[in-house]
Amino acid sequence: MKEKVVLAYSGGLDTTVIIPWLKENYNYDVICCCIDCGQKEELEGLRERARLSGASKVYIENVIDEFCEDYIVPCVQANAIYENKYLLGTSMARPVIAKKLVEIARKEHASAICHGATGKGNDQIRFELGIKALAPDLKIIAAWRDKKWNMDSREAEIEYCKQHNVFLPFEVAESYSRDRNLWHISHEGLDLECPENEPNYDKLLVLTTPPTKAPDTPEYVTMTFEKGIPISINGKEMKISKIIEKLNELGGKHGIGIIDIVENRVVGMKSRGVYETPGGTILMEAHQQLEELILDRETYHAKKEMADKFAELVYEGKWFSPLREAIQAFIESTQEYVTGEVKFKLYKGSIIKAGTSSPYSLYNESLASFTTGDLFDHHDADGFITLFGLSTKVRAMKLMEASKEEALCGQQI
Amino acid sequence: MKEKVVLAYSGGLDTTVIIPWLKENYNYDVICCCIDCGQKEELEGLRERARLSGASKVYIENVIDEFCEDYIVPCVQANAIYENKYLLGTSMARPVIAKKLVEIARKEHASAICHGATGKGNDQIRFELGIKALAPDLKIIAAWRDKKWNMDSREAEIEYCKQHNVFLPFEVAESYSRDRNLWHISHEGLDLECPENEPNYDKLLVLTTPPTKAPDTPEYVTMTFEKGIPISINGKEMKISKIIEKLNELGGKHGIGIIDIVENRVVGMKSRGVYETPGGTILMEAHQQLEELILDRETYHAKKEMADKFAELVYEGKWFSPLREAIQAFIESTQEYVTGEVKFKLYKGSIIKAGTSSPYSLYNESLASFTTGDLFDHHDADGFITLFGLSTKVRAMKLMEASKEEALCGQQI
Amino acid sequence: MKEKVVLAYSGGLDTTVIIPWLKENYNYDVICCCIDCGQKEELEGLRERARLSGASKVYIENVIDEFCEDYIVPCVQANAIYENKYLLGTSMARPVIAKKLVEIARKEHASAICHGATGKGNDQIRFELGIKALAPDLKIIAAWRDKKWNMDSREAEIEYCKQHNVFLPFEVAESYSRDRNLWHISHEGLDLECPENEPNYDKLLVLTTPPTKAPDTPEYVTMTFEKGIPISINGKEMKISKIIEKLNELGGKHGIGIIDIVENRVVGMKSRGVYETPGGTILMEAHQQLEELILDRETYHAKKEMADKFAELVYEGKWFSPLREAIQAFIESTQEYVTGEVKFKLYKGSIIKAGTSSPYSLYNESLASFTTGDLFDHHDADGFITLFGLSTKVRAMKLMEASKEEALCGQQI
Amino acid sequence: MKEKVVLAYSGGLDTTVIIPWLKENYNYDVICCCIDCGQKEELEGLRERARLSGASKVYIENVIDEFCEDYIVPCVQANAIYENKYLLGTSMARPVIAKKLVEIARKEHASAICHGATGKGNDQIRFELGIKALAPDLKIIAAWRDKKWNMDSREAEIEYCKQHNVFLPFEVAESYSRDRNLWHISHEGLDLECPENEPNYDKLLVLTTPPTKAPDTPEYVTMTFEKGIPISINGKEMKISKIIEKLNELGGKHGIGIIDIVENRVVGMKSRGVYETPGGTILMEAHQQLEELILDRETYHAKKEMADKFAELVYEGKWFSPLREAIQAFIESTQEYVTGEVKFKLYKGSIIKAGTSSPYSLYNESLASFTTGDLFDHHDADGFITLFGLSTKVRAMKLMEASKEEALCGQQI
């Protein structure tokens, strides 16, 4: 009996060509796995396509809810944003995919997992670190880095397919390199490769209306959270995946969540991308807005630092790591009281705050007006400033004194 | 001869009433100092008003350029933003004011400095820490916290003025508590005191058109920087204060830079404010956009952490502190090559990226296309991932092994 | 019926005098509470002493095990050390005391809690923040800061006692200001107030033999930990308080754990103290030694930063805060595999490492010798260094190029 | 004319064998460079040895003073310690060596630099990142990772030498892998490879007497610093290299500065080493002791974080990087007033503090006793604690209230 390999399969040319290639070069039975994180229409016809290309078995796993609950929610709770802008859409999806690939590999007693990510990107690292963490004994085949791989263009791949009796209607035309899931879509390549170029949003965007073409009328949206988890939209409770879908619809309509970034990849180079995250942008902003009201100053500031570290870890493919777990434990601990309602007005690319409330707000009317209350007296500030500024004053006096002494010494000589 | 006090004077009722109060309660000669950081029309008639209220001398010092060069530029270079949103407009102005007050106090041989900031805010701390650092021997009088102070409403202040023969046309009507300078204007109080309320931007805004009323046509703006310092706008070189003015005009027109925040004050309470920073928002975003292209990953990430610490220090009134100096030295060191051009499209509250370039860009075309170049080979990623993921794999193997041993021990018993 | 106050009572003159003072000035029933965290002989005769001084009730609560399990263990797991040296002996004890005072106040329906910490130290803050967090409605009386308090020397206090018919044999002689519990003893004051003075350890030390007088023969000690918690010493399992006692004995004998520090107090001044933490020093060193073997690089480094933050929080009296809880959740998550054995040799003030082992060690013989193994190949380092140094090289090339262009431009002009 | 290669040459077998190997495999003229950072006796006979092995030219560059001033001093000022223990002895020396190799390569118009560091260690990274940063156009040959390299034992190397007519008296016996310079000596390998083993200090140590054999009489040492730079020992001014030499002598005599560590290498594995840094340990401790007295709390704490980052960078070979420069600018800014005297007592492995003084001390007698001074009043602490604990109290009240409401809601249902 042949050994089996589990292939991370997207249905596109790049992963389809790997099926005959694996059979020829490794003599494996190829099990194609498409892990559905919400990539939508891309899944159509995928099962048949894999079969026609020589797959011995095809899995299509819908992991959307797991993706939302176990990967997106922690990132939202952390307010994890990479390099000020990137909401980690692709980064968060890779570990859930790696996990599923390993599960299927175990179930099928496969001896290897194969992926088609390129040797210049972050995804190879995210897939492979996930697999190493969950199944260190499994062989990993990175097709594009494999010594037996020698295709370096779409034409070469199509030619290879034909030679191996795979006749599929792949387009030869170049397009943006894209990655899509429930949370976002990313665009790289072509004219974007030059950071001097302004992106042509009319042509580029998939999920979002360009701000300039968005409706002239603003639209309100209300979101509620419980312990940092989104619960409802406009008063209607729904599961997280539905909330994100709804927010994608609203955010997409109003031109929200388009970013244009030059980011630092793990592999040491800068790359330029445009990302659309219409719903995610709203959701994260709402969560953070709520935290403003509820977290005390020190927790808020410390959590901000943790958010950056969390984002870096996720970006670097270190989801299945003790440090990610530890930071998540920290984050979860802070979410105990992050419960309340946030209202936004969406308008042509802008999220305009329209009110926030929470039963656990550390700001409220009784506090705002305690001019003469017993919590705080203007005179308390005297003592506070004396102590808060004590070392400043002591230091200034000391330096004054020392410079006088120096001046004196100078004179004496 | 009487002792002298230097009073931080704004021309409003709150500081005007302090003039007769200081004379009555402390028997000082009162020297009024208005430090002009760009508060515009507020300065009209101020000199006369001070004289009529009993000031023995009035200084009006235009420090706009010093404010820009020594306070705003370091904050822009740091990308210093407090709690994700606040661009420190008031915080940055306080130390330059404190410095000028001390300079005048020294020149006039005054024995005290007086300010009219309230006992619940941050400004008292910023003024007093500044004075303590620069002139630890000077007495500080915080009128509102003074035991001899007993006015707690505008009516009481006006009444006190009248009793002391100061007949000025002060308005009794309550309004938002505002602070304005070249960089921004802040609004607090009234309906804003309840975070559930949506601000009424049509009534509230001073520098900015509400996004919904901004022009339907986007407008491009190009900015150049040299070593992290803004140099020109749309190809025209100008000094920093002029650049900010110009950006205020453009940003104000297009509804840019309005934030609505619940922030954590130094004195331990949350407060809610709306800030308009039209030009500053554009300038900071442009600077950061440029850094994306130029700074290496590690510097970029480390600088981000420093930015938060810098913002905290500035917010807390610790401008004149060794730590601020040290962080500024760090920041300046990173700006050596932050030179280049940034282009934005402004539209109804949104800043849309429209291209960035720099002679020191670490991203450029020759790098983007080095598929087969000598800088990087797909296969290099093999070794990289092996080592980058080594501890992940070793750990996973170790845990596997340990759990097997445990299972084995279990069986043996 | 009179209202009741719960007094944090140590048995010394400073807190004894507060009993009649509270009765006279506040007309309270005074309930004395001595919270025993391991201060040893100091407790003798305390109950009677309180009664003779006018207490209506006396509680002596042994909280040693709670202190160890809920306060010391998290600090050990965190490796929490303030300003590189201070093992937080006093800081950790304050919150457990505050918690007990609140519990008793609730049980007794008291309306206030009183403590005798001075207005210049950290302890007042630690007590009061603890009480505010756990019982924000309770009144706090800080006797020494009270406006009705007017004693400023031991003589005055003794005199006050006598006037109120409290005739106790208090010593008038000045001594070091000391705080002792199971974990440590601190010394402040007298000759230590001048940092230029070398401490006279022969006179000063209570728990520890001076290194120069410690035995000439080294002694081995072996400790085991399970999930970061100390379990046994020299092969003998015991509860944590017994482990610390045993380590105090061993460490004390061999001159371990004496520090001499100038520390930064919360209230803005520097203070100088000598602390003896014989057992704690060994325990923390052992825990950290074990973590070296078990934690991966990134967790180890991130945890180090958290340790500093944790130590600061504990030092500042913020034990009962959401941030302390969040950091503790982080720390606990990292302790899952901190299981193993550490061996030390104790000798005249030095802890000499003598071997460490763990079933979860990420270092082990099979790893150390994998010259030709499949985990790692010398050539893998090629790819690693290429990518690890990619941005360094790109940057260097870019700067070379830019400087050539500049030179060229220079020539052309 | 042949192309030239610059070889980092130590005189040992491992780098000597590279000379004929480079000639055979690359047909280069080999220029041997021994960069003397204080490795002492190891340099004897080195020039002749290189010549006999086929080098066309030999450089022996004494860089000890440059090493001290430009590499050691910044690390001392930063208090840079890797993973709590390692004083970076080897890490600091690599960049100065890389810099010199590049200088010589430029002078000789060489086209490559070759080093003999192994593929599992940190040094390869440190050398190569240094070269990449300073001369990105130079080819790097890492002999041990080279595909043409096939020697994997001392015997094989000696055999190769003989075959190429190099007859040198190399010892075959295995020994610890060592690296020595003015600052330290490291030991790895053999019995140390098992972390369970206690090191045999009697056999292992080179610079230091084992504590148990150190003199029975303690010895005092006094050091002065100016702006963070060591200036004199025991009242005698000397240049830094002489200070370190003197401290090595004293520290070595008294058993100071031996560490036994399991560290995390850059390449993802843990390694175990014993390091002797007798003088360096004293010097760093003294510097830090002085800073305790002089730096304000916030600078001290922030600098501690920077120290860790600085140490990581140096450890990782990123000396010539913008981030190292930026952190160094930060550090230098903090050293302005780090001037004063530190006294230690050295005794059998322990450094015992014996007094510190500075004209810029923020602690001094007048401050310590200001019970009734105008800098600080016990009552000021009232206001301080009210504000410092305000959010704690507000939060506690809010949670109390919220839980009452919940309870009420519960009842109503």
Side-chain angles (χ1 to χ4, degrees), chain C residues 186-206:
Chain C
S186 65
H187 314 267
E188 294 187 347
L190 301 187
D191 58 306
L192 295 179
E193 292 223 331
C194 175
E196 287 185 52
N197 291 342
E198 182 179 356
N200 183 342
Y201 287 137
D202 290 339
K203 260 183 54 188
L204 187 71
L205 300 178
V206 171

Side-chain angles (χ1 to χ4, degrees), chain B residues 54-201:
Chain B
S56 62
K57 201 163 181 181
V58 183
Y59 282 85
I60 299 181
E61 302 275 299
N62 182 325
V63 300
I64 293 178
D65 286 325
E66 186 174 344
F67 178 41
C68 290
E69 285 156 26
D70 295 350
Y71 300 81
I72 289 179
V73 162
C75 288
V76 170
Q77 292 187 323
N79 306 323
I81 300 179
Y82 183 68
E83 297 189 343
N84 294 310
K85 292 185 192 155
Y86 172 35
L87 267 64
L88 298 168
T90 300
S91 319
M92 295 189 299
R94 293 328 187 195
V96 70
I97 294 173
K99 186 162 173 253
K100 290 298 142 187
L101 294 174
V102 166
E103 282 172 17
I104 295 166
R106 291 310 194 200
K107 190 173 143 195
E108 293 282 348
H109 302 290
S111 39
I113 292 178
C114 176
H115 70 79
T118 75
K120 285 164 62 186
N122 295 312
D123 284 338
Q124 54 178 345
I125 295 170
R126 294 170 188 151
F127 282 133
E128 298 182 32
L129 261 63
I131 298 165
K132 280 171 198 271
L134 299 173
D137 53 312
L138 284 184
K139 182 181 168 70
I140 297 171
I141 299 173
W144 277 74
R145 299 196 322 256
D146 200 280
K147 273 161 197 160
K148 298 172 186 163
W149 185 268
N150 55 11
M151 293 166 271
D152 61 355
S153 66
R154 289 183 73 79
E155 289 81 357
E157 291 181 325
I158 291 173
E159 184 54 34
Y160 184 90
C161 281
K162 284 184 187 157
Q163 284 168 10
H164 293 74
N165 295 315
V166 179
F167 298 95
L168 289 171
F170 292 112
E171 286 173 40
V172 181
E174 258 190 327
S175 69
Y176 292 104
S177 165
R178 283 179 164 131
D179 179 67
R180 177 173 178 178
N181 57 43
L182 181 67
W183 186 252
H184 96 330
I185 185 165
S186 65
H187 314 266
E188 295 188 344
L190 302 187
D191 58 308
L192 296 179
E193 292 223 330
C194 176
E196 287 185 50
N197 292 342
E198 181 180 357
N200 182 342
Y201 287 139

